Each structure stands twice: as C-alpha cells, then as structure tokens.
Amino acid sequence: MALINPHINFNGNGEEAFNFYKSVFGGEFARIMRFKDLSSPENPIAEKEANKIMHIALPIGKNILRGNDVPESMGRVNENENRSKISISAESREEADKLFSGLSAGGSIEVPIDNSSLGSCFGMFRDKYGIEWMVDFDANSEGEV
C-alpha cells in the first residue's frame, strides 16, 4: 500500500522551518538537496537560488515530512493559500502510474510522470478539485525518501 506524505513549499526559509520541525519531532533528515546539486551547463542555477532547499525529507514514524523552497523565478508562495501538496510514495512503478493516472483524471498535469534525474519516477498535478499531488517511486529507497 502506498504511503501519503505531506509536502510543504517555502519562500526561502525551508531549511529554517525544517530545523524547527526536527527540533520538535526529533530524528535525522533522510535527504537534503539544494538547487546547486542539480546545476549543470544545460541547467545553470542562479547564485541567489543555489543554497536554497530543492528537496528535504524528515521521517516521522512511518511517514515523511517533505518540503522545498520555491525558486523566485516561479513566484512567491501565497502564504494565505495552499502551500502544500500531498506526496504519495508508491511501492512500485506500476502503482505510481496507476495512482497518477487515476488521480489526475480531469485535472491539470504540471509534471508528467517520468523517470527523474535521481533515478526514480516522479510526476505532479492538480486534481479536478484543485488539490495538488506528487507521485513518486524509487526502487532504491525502500521508503526512505
């Protein structure tokens, strides 16, 4: 069965927020990636964005709290509106594809489900009710990220 994990967007203070959550929940970060970690000649990252959080994960029991900073180029997150997405970690690629296809029906696909640069598959969409979802599967993580 798939796990559902919250994903929170921040306006540049994601690391500060996650250090706060870590101080409350305890534990250690499963993964921290910064935008500079994805920088390449084909995909340069602006210096002011380089150290911002591209992905952070804090295991809490069997669930994982995830988050990121939204790059300025994508606009600020409206803090009075929905700043979160529901993230589903599928147990197989087949389950990821099925969940993505089913939940996105009638909605708006932001990122088609496909293999990511991290060796997993990932997709993102807003369902027909306006709820934002992310679906991923990573055969190597065994539920860690």
Side-chain angles (χ1 to χ4, degrees):
M1 174 62 70
L3 291 175
I4 294 179
N5 300 295
H7 185 106
I8 309 168
N9 294 315
F10 295 91
N11 287 317
N13 62 342
E15 185 168 13
E16 175 186 337
F18 266 76
N19 279 320
F20 169 73
Y21 301 143
K22 182 179 169 184
S23 76
V24 173
F25 290 107
E28 295 298 325
F29 296 125
R31 180 177 286 173
I32 300 175
M33 290 180 60
R34 299 183 186 282
F35 283 100
K36 67 182 177 186
D37 297 333
L38 298 179
S39 185
S40 69
E42 303 82 36
N43 184 32
I45 303 297
E47 187 175 328
K48 65 182 177 182
E49 304 281 1
N51 283 316
K52 291 183 180 178
I53 299 296
M54 190 272 186
H55 174 79
I56 190 165
L58 178 63
I60 302 171
K62 291 184 178 184
N63 298 300
I64 299 173
L65 179 62
R66 299 176 183 185
N68 67 280
D69 289 316
V70 175
E72 289 179 24
S73 63
M74 294 180 74
R76 290 188 57 80
V77 173
N78 183 336
E79 295 178 359
N80 294 319
E81 292 182 9
N82 184 3
R83 294 174 24 148
S84 60
K85 298 181 185 309
I86 299 173
S87 176
I88 304 174
S89 296
E91 290 186 337
S92 68
R93 174 63 194 248
E94 294 76 22
E95 182 181 44
D97 288 338
K98 178 182 175 187
L99 292 169
F100 186 92
S101 175
L103 289 167
S104 66
S108 171
I109 295 175
E110 296 174 31
V111 177
I113 194 159
D114 199 2
N115 293 330
S116 77
S117 62
L118 304 174
S120 61
C121 76
F122 174 82
M124 187 166 58
F125 59 92
R126 184 180 295 265
D127 71 19
K128 63 184 175 182
Y129 301 105
I131 303 301
E132 295 181 90
W133 295 83
M134 298 185 308
V135 177
D136 74 80
F137 168 68
D138 186 347
N140 299 316
S141 75
E142 297 182 30
E144 288 181 16
V145 183

